[in-house]
Amino acid sequence: MTLHEEEPLDAADDDFEIGPWHESDLLRELHTLRALPNPQGRGYKLEDLLERAFQRAHFQAEHNPKMAGRRQTDFAVISHNNRYLVEAKWENHPAGTDIIQAIRSRLRRLDGTVVALLFTMLGINGDAAKEIAEHRQEGLILVFDEADILVVLKDPQELERLLRLKHDKLVVHGYVHCGEKERQAEKNTRRSRKQPRQLPEGRYRLLDASGMDVPWFHGPGGFDPTVFCLNLPDVDWVPAAGSGVSLDMPVAAWDQRDLLRLIDSLAELGWMGDQGQWSIQQHGRNWHGTGARSFAHALKDWKARTADLEDPHHSEEFVYFEACDGGFYTVSGNISAERTRRVARCNASFQLVGMPLDPGSLQQLYRRFDVPSRGHFRPLVEQSVKRQRFDGSIPLLVLGHIVEPADHRWDQEDWVVGLLVANPYYRSDLQPPEELAHDLERTGVIVCDLRSHHPLSKPKDRYELWSYERARTSDAHALRVVAEWWEPEDNVGRRPSVRAGSGYFDVEVLDPPQDSPPRARRRDQGQAGIR
């Protein structure tokens, strides 16, 4: 089978799971309990395993508390802002309404802030689920079935996430969340053909060298975590003292469908606008575009994109960049270039001016993404955005234009705001600035922001590199390369430039070298194509 042949997904694909390199000791003990014939004995042993799991997740566990009066409770759990009453059952049948009513009678003796947790290996029946949902105003009961218990014993840190998820489902939606039921629902969702919501369209038009609209640019390149951007917010550009912060969210995306749902969720929660930029890297070729909609299209169109590659790699890497309120973020990862489109890793990385006074919007992302770990803000130990001018005068070969359409402007005219240019450092004797060597050595094209915009109807004769800004997230590089245009007749053959060692804002006026043609063309640069 060739790389681009596709066959239908089978049910086995839905059960794909990456297991840990070692098995949890709590999980091993659970497996030994299955041979015990006495349900009550199994229940006591399960109770002990769960109590240890809560302790490992940094909850305070109190055995046989008197919080419910004369009625016995297996144990109570105390966190920094919640109190839980815990019951563990391992009967030979699903728990019914009698168990639910008994737990609720204990809740009535308490002050109304305590939440009950029912751990039952065989789950609950339909009547019990109805009882929990319809009478939740009399006390909340969160249910953990066998699928949930396996997750908790394998990684106790998952407890906090599951508690939050089950609480939100019951309170907001009147829905009893159980792991096995959710697993089946997720399989059905994966197999469904439901179309995602309309993603934001990019603000800019992309034109090739002939002036034709194209969905994205492409050029020679390799694997590199760099994404070009037209606007790079500086989180340190504030009057207050101190430094910015970073926040990483490792997202549990298993395949392309999960990745597309992640993009859809970011848009739904207001984290995506019309000026996002992205890159996709393959062996021998890179693609660059703007807007979430074209990014999703490029992901789904992977077979057509790679059809003419002689030796495509078995995977692709991607980076999406977006400016947001208080900073910016990247979404990066690796996805297979074959029919399953498995996602090997996916991470959302934020850089912000500081810790938000109200982190509710970020907490909403954690809930929506089902992030499998606790999040931490970390202070940046170095300047977020580093900027510098290019030394000398480096002319550029223009391969395409980024245009702000007339309907987005007050003057109703198309304006050029960026360029696709051949990388003058690619396979040439020119040496890029040391800090850009890794970013520019593997790409044949550069997407540039234009320092001085101009109408599309008034093309310019010569463009040169002007400056760059660079920021690094945990696993991606955001690079804003700025170009400037120059016309000799505008300034009697003189243009702004810099000498080595000049500062970012230092400008000198130098005479142009006579032997430097305005549009010097090299054969390998001219091969940087556009799609």
Side-chain angles (χ1 to χ4, degrees), residues 145-201:
D145 64 5
E146 181 177 3
D148 295 316
I149 293 172
L150 292 176
V151 169
V152 166
L153 296 184
K154 182 167 66 174
D155 182 7
Q157 300 302 325
E158 288 287 285
L159 269 167
E160 185 173 344
R161 180 183 66 85
L162 287 174
L163 287 170
R164 182 184 66 228
L165 178 62
K166 292 175 181 292
H167 185 277
D168 290 348
K169 290 286 187 181
L170 183 58
V171 172
V172 178
H173 303 288
Y175 174 76
V176 179
H177 179 283
C178 292
E180 183 58 33
K181 183 167 61 175
E182 294 303 310
R183 184 185 176 103
Q184 293 299 325
E186 183 179 354
K187 287 183 180 181
N188 295 334
T189 301
R190 289 174 181 269
R191 293 170 179 168
S192 70
R193 298 293 183 180
K194 182 180 178 181
Q195 295 296 320
R197 69 180 64 247
Q198 193 81 318
L199 293 170
E201 187 175 9

Side-chain angles (χ1 to χ4, degrees), residues 496-512:
S497 186
V498 295
R499 293 191 186 277
S502 299
Y504 181 73
F505 297 103
D506 297 333
V507 177
E508 301 179 60
V509 178
L510 303 176
D511 290 324

Side-chain angles (χ1 to χ4, degrees), residues 191-216:
R191 293 170 179 168
S192 70
R193 298 293 183 180
K194 182 180 178 181
Q195 295 296 320
R197 69 180 64 247
Q198 193 81 318
L199 293 170
E201 187 175 9
R203 180 183 182 89
Y204 306 115
R205 294 169 53 203
L206 305 183
L207 307 181
D208 63 16
S210 66
M212 299 295 294
D213 284 274
V214 291
W216 48 72

